[in-house]
Amino acid sequence: LDLSLSPIGDQKKDAASMKVLEILKAQKNGFLSFNYKSEADAISETFGLSKKNFKLSLTKLQNDGAITIGEDGIRLAKS
């Protein structure tokens, strides 16, 4: 028997993506100095996510056209 209180599969990815997007939108300049290479502790402290889930959410948001990812960090995509 495998029980979990956290969402699974795509629901988990969607919830993590929404969390990242909300925090990014709260920034005046729509930028955060986080990317795939960011430290796990900093990701956990800022987003409350594991590095794995953070990276999955970045990929989803980029594929959805919501953000751009650069060496210096993530930005809201211009719409």
Side-chain angles (χ1 to χ4, degrees):
L1 184 61
D2 187 16
L3 298 175
S4 175
L5 296 177
S6 61
I8 57 171
D10 287 339
Q11 291 175 342
K12 186 176 197 174
K13 196 183 323 179
D14 290 343
S17 297
M18 293 310 300
K19 189 173 209 174
V20 171
L21 196 56
E22 286 174 18
I23 293 171
L24 187 56
K25 284 181 177 180
Q27 305 304 305
K28 289 182 182 181
N29 59 0
F31 172 81
L32 283 168
S33 60
F34 285 86
N35 61 22
Y36 291 118
K37 297 178 183 177
S38 297
E39 295 294 323
D41 290 341
I43 291 168
S44 179
E45 186 177 307
T46 303
F47 300 98
L49 299 171
S50 68
K51 185 167 183 171
K52 176 183 175 183
N53 286 333
F54 176 74
K55 289 169 70 174
L56 288 171
S57 68
L58 290 188
T59 300
K60 180 185 182 331
L61 290 169
Q62 185 177 39
N63 289 344
D64 291 348
I67 66 167
T68 58
I69 305 170
E71 285 295 317
D72 58 340
I74 55 176
R75 286 184 173 75
L76 288 173
K78 293 179 171 74
S79 48

